[in-house]
Amino acid sequence: MIDPSDRQIEAASAELRAGNLVAMPTETVYGLAANAWDETAVSKIFEAKGRPATNPLIVHIYDWTFLDQCAEVPLATEIDQAMKQLDAFWPGPLTLILPKSQRISSLVTAGRETVAVRVPRHPVARKLLKSCNFPVAAPSANRSTAVSPTTAQHVDDELGEQVAVILDGGPSELGLESTILDLTESPPRILRHGGVTAESLAKALHLSVDVLTRGTDKEVETAPSGHRAPGQMKVHYSPRTPVRLKSDWIPVADERAGWIRFHVDTSAEGPEASIVRILSNHGDLKEIARRLFATLRELDQLDLDLIVIDTCEEEGMGRAIMDRIRRASARRDV
Ligand code: AMP
Ligand code: MG
């Protein structure tokens, strides 16, 4: 891992204090950070990303001591109980939806009475948050609907002009966003699959995976005005090049296709592709997740007619991987 110096961290936190945007590495993807108490700074996030104001931001905090400033968790309630059961997941790639505190601006929550909060575990994000005495609002550091960045270079390519400092913490360890768990619903419900599996959350909460994931995948189909996970649009994580699932691919003559394969499978000779990328020799889901977005970005630079992508079982990390590639392959005209 690349480790920015204390001076670079201090410079980044000074920019945040001054109301400017900073790109920070996290274990999921790179985040575009602003002081969550500063509405002008927060509005710069929406501007830089071209993000609709209806899509709320995740607030990142250093530790539990900042939680009370952002959320109101009444003691001895179901939410309080669930938070105790989830203790082991923080710091980590789990975002919790909680009742918001007075102090959190409605700009951050897109007018909702709930707030999304996370404690990241990447050491650079932790150092940065520790040096700030405020929570930091940070969505992924990409233009709205584009592929999330997993390196500092990705951020520089896309948003270099808009950010004051890009902290380079090396390639993101997970490569996919956090899991979003709504604790304001009873029982809790996963709104977005991500770095923590539904199976491990179900175990911690003593619930079945089916209960926890009820309707999660339906968000793909729901109209933007009505959905519970705002911003989980059908078209998301999209390169400019059309993306097609391998199972839907019918090759045509003279087509320049790039094929993203999940593992080496010599027995199954596929149709001809101009470019092939293999994300993992043995189909390891963590490895596939880690390399997925960077590979989509890479192939998007190659002027291909089509990017074809393998599919996997929707279990464990496979749920988050399939969610992202389904959205990446969703047609823009529907
Ligand atoms: P990003 O950080 O770009 O991955 O996007 C953050 C995502 O968090 C949004 O797309 C929403 O789906 C989700 N989110 C943030 N705040 C809330 C909230 N209060 N309720 C439900 N979902 C939220
Ligand atoms: Mg995003």
Side-chain angles (χ1 to χ4, degrees):
M1 197 202 71
I2 302 169
D3 206 2
S5 66
D6 289 349
R7 234 185 51 197
Q8 284 171 303
I9 302 268
E10 198 28 63
S13 106
E15 291 291 353
L16 288 174
R17 259 190 303 278
N20 295 321
L21 301 183
V22 164
M24 77 173 170
T26 83
E27 69 276 20
T28 58
V29 299
Y30 274 69
L32 184 64
N35 178 352
W37 297 149
D38 181 342
E39 289 212 350
T40 312
V42 171
S43 67
K44 288 182 187 171
I45 293 179
F46 288 93
E47 219 171 283
K49 283 180 63 89
R51 183 175 177 109
T54 49
N55 189 357
L57 307 176
I58 296 174
V59 176
H60 293 67
I61 56 175
Y62 177 65
D63 64 13
W64 289 96
T65 56
F66 284 87
L67 190 68
D68 290 348
Q69 299 178 25
C70 305
E72 256 159 37
V73 181
L75 287 175
T77 56
E78 218 178 316
I79 299 181
D80 184 39
Q81 165 75 9
M83 292 201 62
K84 290 196 174 86
Q85 291 169 320
L86 296 169
D87 186 52
F89 295 96
W90 272 8
L94 177 66
T95 296
L96 298 178
I97 306 295
L98 298 165
K100 86 174 196 65
S101 71
Q102 285 281 334
R103 203 166 167 200
I104 284 282
S105 136
S106 62
L107 196 61
V108 170
T109 67
R112 294 174 170 254
E113 286 308 309
T114 56
V115 63
V117 191
R118 174 163 110 83
V119 178
R121 71 165 178 236
H122 192 294
V124 176
R126 295 194 58 70
K127 274 190 200 165
L128 179 65
L129 290 170
K130 194 174 183 187
S131 73
C132 299
N133 58 354
F134 46 82
V136 153
S140 51
N142 53 276
R143 302 268 314 157
S144 188
T145 78
V147 179
S148 300
T150 56
T151 66
Q153 185 64 51
H154 294 159
V155 182
D156 200 15
D157 292 346
E158 205 163 304
L159 293 173
E161 306 268 290
Q162 280 98 326
V163 289
V165 173
I166 300 175
L167 288 175
D168 190 345
S172 304
E173 175 197 339
L174 295 168
L176 291 181
E177 295 81 355
S178 59
T179 300
I180 301 180
L181 179 66
D182 190 348
L183 292 186
T184 68
E185 281 190 53
S186 177
R189 189 166 77 87
I190 290 177
L191 302 184
R192 173 176 78 185
H193 292 298
V196 173
T197 64
E199 287 82 354
S200 58
L201 291 177
K203 197 168 162 210
L205 293 167
H206 309 296
L207 292 170
S208 74
V209 170
D210 284 350
V211 164
L212 209 55
T213 60
R214 61 194 188 281
T216 302
D217 300 323
K218 290 218 179 63
E219 317 296 354
V220 177
E221 307 301 337
T222 323
S225 52
H227 54 184
R228 287 280 303 164
Q232 287 304 92
M233 323 299 191
K234 184 168 180 178
V235 178
H236 205 154
Y237 315 109
S238 289
R240 282 160 311 172
T241 315
V243 176
R244 185 122 346 125
L245 301 186
K246 170 66 176 38
S247 44
D248 298 337
W249 183 30
I250 304 164
V252 293
D254 297 329
E255 182 182 58
R256 287 194 70 238
W259 182 9
I260 301 179
R261 299 187 67 173
F262 285 178
H263 57 97
V264 184
D265 182 357
T266 44
S267 64
E269 269 315 306
E272 285 296 306
S274 311
I275 302 272
V276 177
R277 291 287 179 270
I278 296 166
L279 299 191
S280 168
N281 286 343
H282 303 291
D284 176 66
L285 293 178
K286 277 194 176 156
E287 214 176 345
I288 293 166
R290 189 182 311 131
R291 297 188 53 202
L292 179 65
F293 285 159
T295 309
L296 277 171
R297 274 179 183 263
E298 189 217 342
L299 294 199
D300 202 22
Q301 308 287 321
L302 302 182
D303 236 358
L304 297 164
D305 298 319
L306 188 66
I307 297 172
V308 180
I309 186 156
D310 277 353
T311 54
C312 61
E313 291 287 326
E314 300 201 37
E315 264 173 36
M317 279 300 283
R319 293 173 200 271
I321 293 169
M322 283 305 296
D323 170 78
R324 303 307 187 272
I325 66 178
R326 227 179 270 121
R327 289 179 214 274
S329 65
R331 288 175 42 172
R332 287 175 188 279
D333 57 351
V334 288

